Amino acid sequence: MTHLTMTDIARAAGVSLTTVGRVVRKSGYVSEEKRVAVERVIRETGYVPNRIARGLKSNRMNLIGHITVLNPNMLYEQISKSLNDAASREGFQTLTYTVDWERVSLEIVLDELIGHRVDGIVITSHPRLDEELLHKVITRAIPLVMIERTLALEGTDRIVVADYEGAFQAVDHLISRGHDNIAYAGKIPDHEVEKRRLEGYRQALNNAGISSGESLVYLTDNYGVEEGRQAAEVLLELNPRPTAVFMTSDLFICGFLQVCYERKLRIPEDISLVGYDNTLSMMLSPPITSIRLELSTLGGRAMDLLKTRKDNPGLPSREVQSGTALVERESVKRINYEGRG
Amino acid sequence: MTHLTMTDIARAAGVSLTTVGRVVRKSGYVSEEKRVAVERVIRETGYVPNRIARGLKSNRMNLIGHITVLNPNMLYEQISKSLNDAASREGFQTLTYTVDWERVSLEIVLDELIGHRVDGIVITSHPRLDEELLHKVITRAIPLVMIERTLALEGTDRIVVADYEGAFQAVDHLISRGHDNIAYAGKIPDHEVEKRRLEGYRQALNNAGISSGESLVYLTDNYGVEEGRQAAEVLLELNPRPTAVFMTSDLFICGFLQVCYERKLRIPEDISLVGYDNTLSMMLSPPITSIRLELSTLGGRAMDLLKTRKDNPGLPSREVQSGTALVERESVKRINYEGRG
DNA sequence: CTGAAAGCGCTAACAC
DNA sequence: GTGTTAGCGCTTTCAG
């Protein structure tokens, strides 16, 4: 049994194609009588309008393309979900592609998205964007929003996470609890995101008049549990041992915690920890204080940017900040004037 | 600048619409000369074929619909990813919808999917499926695969996780390490999935000639960290205290571990733990032995089922099992003839 | 080898 | 209020 068409419904209900159309999309005048008749036929046959045909007329399928990078982190899946929800609230569907870092794969995916005549494109945290790659999108005036790892580009919009503020908050919190020997474990600052985080750490220390020795900064080239372990191996050997560590990913926290567990170091008695991204921290033992990213509102904000730009393609490039907030849990010790972990 | 059409390309290249079509989809004979000319114009203009129009002719957009339930667990996102990958490998895109448990929301989403004329539908773990709901899908002969929480239904296929085997493996592992006082923390068995897990636990115990007192079974009505804490509060008070606990979700493990941490109970010295689903367990302290679900192959198997049914709609209903495997880590103590945690 | 022509199922003028 | 008609951009016969 194949799909019925509006013509089939029209025939069955004894009305014209147009009338069926009017009933289906609830527009225009239809007499009560015919409307009821058509609705009955639709209900009985289970007719569902063909969106492809509809899309061909209007050249719009009400689709938003979302491109995400392959990542073990739950972060990006949360962003996906937030975008899906926001989109569907406005009658859009999301076409999600997960790509690796290769230039070609992004290129292919963009072509597919354009082929689908999406009404907007969201690219989350792709680290290797360049203008040429996005040229096709721009010239077609397809609204484009980049999230987290972005590229400043005319005619496009960006949502960047307040990483500087987030890192600052984390370290400032530690300082306010009496810590002054605070280590940093993060990714090598080869991208704006990582630079901002490291800068937030340094500035918080500076503001408090605390000098940060370079040995306190442990840099790795990947976000992962194993890297967190390595950070612990190094940082815990420091003499004097830092009383606190700020790590720029909850994934690092997991690894760090494993080493502490092996060495029977207690959190926060022996060392205080603050994480970042707030994805895993609430599930760990003990629950870890972490920096929450405002992910749930991200989708809505992306949709807003997309819509306003569609209505007004000439808008200058906009950048909006996504906030961060410290979520206090049980991993930070309060140190007195005397005390030292 | 709006989208170009094949006609534009034809005009620019001085050939007919048909010839452009042949070049675009690389089918049929085109002289080298004209092909080169057309390709040049396509490259220079950045023309991208309109998939909507293409879809209207063939009534296929090469789209697979995926319906997932709202869930904090990483499990379903892994399944999504696996399906996305498998689909795109075969030239399909996935339209993913996340729904709650309401009957209507599923109904609406199914209609949207049918409207998009998807080539197949995958429903992952929806707990309230019924035949009437799926009627529209079945009568249209749209291939349908249900994953994990499924409904046996003619003309549809299912992938079920070997939960019985998984639970059995977990408990059997504990027994092989000398445990005989093994508790169970899981969700109330109001669904096949939970029944199979509990049954696996019971059977493993039975086979080993170990009696399982009902007090050893802690049942909760949700998968979550908090529920894991509650399980710990109850199970750790038992006298004698179980030497091991099998939990049917890594989420439970997280909560349980938090209580152990507070009480300064060491894993596995004081109590042994085995988790389920292998999502969080490798990140915890210590890394927890858990039952891995073969999620990465799920997408490919779903696509296979979809394809074979599309080619042969008359096929009887099929059920394939998705395997489980024990991943040994550091949360199980070996107990000697004498020993008792 | 190439092109003209007829739709796919729906929408939107435009008449009646 | 209702119906007729002309496409949307592509694919696909079918002639040349």
Side-chain angles (χ1 to χ4, degrees):
Chain A
M1 192 169 318
T2 173
H3 295 279
L4 294 173
T5 73
M6 269 179 31
T7 315
D8 297 323
I9 304 299
R11 197 169 7 241
V15 301
S16 80
L17 180 59
T18 318
T19 302
V20 176
R22 282 198 259 263
V23 173
V24 165
R25 80 190 101 84
K26 307 185 202 314
S27 81
Y29 294 103
V30 181
S31 70
E32 186 64 13
E33 186 190 12
K34 297 208 168 173
R35 199 176 50 68
V36 170
V38 171
E39 278 171 350
R40 201 172 56 79
V41 175
I42 289 179
R43 200 170 344 97
E44 285 175 357
T45 56
Y47 166 76
V48 176
N50 184 335
R51 283 173 184 255
I52 307 174
R54 180 179 293 181
L56 182 57
K57 277 286 334 174
S58 53
N59 230 327
R60 302 175 60 248
M61 286 293 274
N62 274 18
L63 249 28
I64 300 292
H66 186 199
I67 301 176
T68 302
V69 281
L70 202 60
N71 202 299
N73 201 321
M74 294 200 302
L75 258 188
Y76 301 109
E77 290 164 357
Q78 286 182 31
I79 294 176
S80 265
K81 179 165 170 12
S82 164
L83 183 64
N84 279 352
D85 291 352
S88 87
R89 239 178 283 125
E90 325 219 354
F92 288 84
Q93 246 312 289
T94 310
L95 223 39
T96 304
Y97 288 75
T98 306
V99 301
D100 52 35
W101 289 17
E102 293 304 318
R103 199 175 188 290
V104 276
S105 53
L106 219 202
E107 213 172 338
I108 292 172
V109 164
L110 283 173
D111 266 11
E112 283 202 36
L113 254 21
I114 293 171
H116 277 290
R117 298 297 186 261
V118 291
D119 298 289
I121 296 180
V122 177
I123 302 181
T124 298
S125 212
H126 195 286
R128 300 203 191 156
L129 296 173
D130 65 75
E131 185 158 359
E132 201 197 321
L133 215 42
L134 301 172
H135 181 251
K136 277 190 184 178
V137 176
I138 314 257
T139 58
R140 285 175 170 78
I142 301 175
L144 169 64
V145 169
M146 287 166 277
I147 298 179
E148 200 194 15
R149 292 172 202 271
T150 68
L151 182 68
L153 207 58
E154 217 181 314
T156 69
D157 303 302
R158 303 183 286 154
I159 303 179
V160 300
V161 175
D163 287 300
Y164 171 86
E165 288 76 4
F168 190 99
Q169 283 169 312
V171 177
D172 196 53
H173 175 71
L174 254 5
I175 293 170
S176 78
R177 290 298 180 269
H179 293 268
D180 60 3
N181 186 10
I182 304 171
Y184 175 96
K187 184 170 173 294
I188 294 168
D190 51 4
H191 190 286
E192 287 305 322
V193 169
E194 282 72 30
K195 284 181 189 149
R196 292 196 298 258
R197 292 179 188 176
L198 186 51
E199 187 54 25
Y201 161 77
R202 292 222 165 97
Q203 204 51 247
L205 254 30
N206 266 355
N207 282 12
I210 301 172
S211 67
S212 77
E214 272 316 301
S215 66
L216 282 171
V217 173
Y218 180 85
L219 264 17
T220 158
D221 55 5
N222 239 315
Y223 290 103
V225 176
E226 184 51 34
E227 283 76 7
R229 295 188 65 103
Q230 290 161 9
E233 307 282 6
V234 172
L235 262 16
L236 290 175
E237 293 307 326
L238 255 32
N239 195 346
R241 189 210 283 158
T243 61
V245 186
F246 165 52
M247 286 171 247
T248 64
S249 166
D250 279 0
L251 245 23
F252 291 148
I253 292 276
C254 291
F256 200 101
L257 241 26
Q258 289 179 349
V259 173
C260 289
Y261 196 80
E262 286 159 16
R263 301 188 181 190
K264 297 205 168 63
L265 257 26
R266 296 281 299 184
I267 316 295
E269 293 82 348
D270 296 318
I271 189 162
S272 293
L273 263 28
V274 177
Y276 200 85
D277 67 41
N278 197 45
T279 51
L280 266 3
S281 37
M282 66 282 280
M283 304 179 182
L284 304 176
S285 304
I288 303 291
T289 296
S290 188
I291 300 294
R292 176 161 56 83
L293 276 27
E294 305 289 2
L295 263 24
S296 56
T297 61
L298 226 58
R301 301 174 74 175
M303 288 302 297
D304 283 347
L305 289 170
L306 253 24
K307 277 190 309 181
T308 50
R309 182 162 296 280
K310 154 146 274 171
D311 297 340
N312 194 344
L315 242 37
S317 185
R318 292 164 295 172
E319 171 177 323
V320 322
Q321 283 239 341
S322 176
T324 56
L326 184 97
V327 182
E328 207 171 337
R329 284 190 273 253
E330 303 157 31
S331 61
V332 176
K333 180 182 178 183
R334 189 170 242 116
I335 300 190
N336 302 325
Y337 36 96
E338 257 335 281
R340 171 67 57 100
Chain B
M1 194 167 319
T2 172
H3 295 278
L4 295 173
T5 71
M6 268 179 30
T7 315
D8 299 322
I9 305 299
R11 196 169 7 240
V15 299
S16 78
L17 181 60
T18 319
T19 301
V20 176
R22 281 196 260 264
V23 173
V24 166
R25 83 191 97 83
K26 305 184 203 315
S27 80
Y29 295 103
V30 181
S31 68
E32 187 63 13
E33 186 191 11
K34 297 209 169 175
R35 198 175 52 67
V36 170
V38 171
E39 278 171 349
R40 201 173 57 80
V41 175
I42 289 180
R43 199 167 349 93
E44 285 175 357
T45 56
Y47 166 76
V48 177
N50 184 333
R51 284 174 184 253
I52 307 174
R54 179 179 293 181
L56 182 57
K57 277 293 318 180
S58 53
N59 230 327
R60 303 175 61 248
M61 285 293 272
N62 275 18
L63 249 28
I64 301 292
H66 186 199
I67 302 176
T68 303
V69 281
L70 203 60
N71 203 300
N73 201 322
M74 295 200 301
L75 258 188
Y76 300 109
E77 290 164 358
Q78 286 183 29
I79 294 175
S80 265
K81 178 164 173 11
S82 164
L83 183 65
N84 280 352
D85 291 352
S88 86
R89 240 176 283 126
E90 325 220 354
F92 288 85
Q93 246 311 289
T94 310
L95 224 38
T96 304
Y97 288 75
T98 307
V99 301
D100 52 34
W101 290 18
E102 293 303 319
R103 199 176 188 289
V104 276
S105 52
L106 220 200
E107 214 172 338
I108 293 171
V109 164
L110 283 173
D111 265 13
E112 283 203 36
L113 254 21
I114 294 172
H116 278 289
R117 299 297 185 260
V118 293
D119 299 289
I121 295 180
V122 176
I123 303 180
T124 297
S125 213
H126 195 286
R128 299 205 191 154
L129 296 172
D130 65 74
E131 185 159 359
E132 201 196 322
L133 214 42
L134 301 173
H135 180 250
K136 277 190 185 178
V137 176
I138 314 257
T139 57
R140 283 174 171 79
I142 301 175
L144 170 63
V145 169
M146 288 166 278
I147 299 179
E148 201 194 14
R149 293 173 201 269
T150 67
L151 182 69
L153 206 59
E154 217 181 314
T156 69
D157 303 301
R158 303 184 285 155
I159 302 179
V160 300
V161 175
D163 288 300
Y164 171 86
E165 288 76 4
F168 190 99
Q169 283 168 313
V171 178
D172 196 53
H173 175 71
L174 255 4
I175 295 169
S176 77
R177 292 297 181 269
H179 294 268
D180 61 3
N181 187 10
I182 303 170
Y184 175 97
K187 184 169 174 294
I188 295 168
D190 52 4
H191 190 285
E192 287 304 321
V193 168
E194 282 72 28
K195 284 181 189 149
R196 292 195 298 259
R197 293 179 188 177
L198 186 51
E199 187 55 24
Y201 161 77
R202 290 224 166 94
Q203 204 51 246
L205 254 30
N206 266 355
N207 282 13
I210 301 172
S211 66
S212 78
E214 271 317 300
S215 65
L216 282 172
V217 173
Y218 179 84
L219 264 18
T220 159
D221 55 6
N222 239 315
Y223 289 104
V225 176
E226 184 49 37
E227 283 76 7
R229 294 189 64 103
Q230 290 161 9
E233 307 282 6
V234 173
L235 262 16
L236 290 175
E237 293 307 324
L238 254 33
N239 196 345
R241 190 212 283 156
T243 61
V245 186
F246 165 53
M247 286 172 247
T248 63
S249 167
D250 279 359
L251 246 24
F252 291 149
I253 293 276
C254 291
F256 200 100
L257 241 26
Q258 289 180 349
V259 174
C260 289
Y261 196 80
E262 287 160 14
R263 301 189 180 190
K264 299 203 166 64
L265 258 26
R266 296 281 298 184
I267 314 298
E269 294 82 348
D270 296 318
I271 189 161
S272 293
L273 264 28
V274 176
Y276 201 86
D277 67 41
N278 198 45
T279 50
L280 266 3
S281 36
M282 66 282 279
M283 304 178 183
L284 304 175
S285 303
I288 303 292
T289 296
S290 187
I291 301 295
R292 176 162 55 84
L293 275 28
E294 304 290 1
L295 261 25
S296 55
T297 60
L298 227 57
R301 301 173 76 173
M303 287 303 295
D304 283 345
L305 290 170
L306 252 25
K307 279 189 308 179
T308 50
R309 181 162 297 279
K310 154 146 276 175
D311 296 339
N312 193 344
L315 243 37
S317 184
R318 291 164 295 172
E319 171 178 323
V320 321
Q321 284 237 344
S322 176
T324 56
L326 183 96
V327 182
E328 207 170 337
R329 284 189 273 254
E330 302 157 31
S331 62
V332 176
K333 179 182 178 183
R334 190 169 241 117
I335 300 190
N336 302 324
Y337 37 95
E338 255 337 281
R340 171 67 56 102

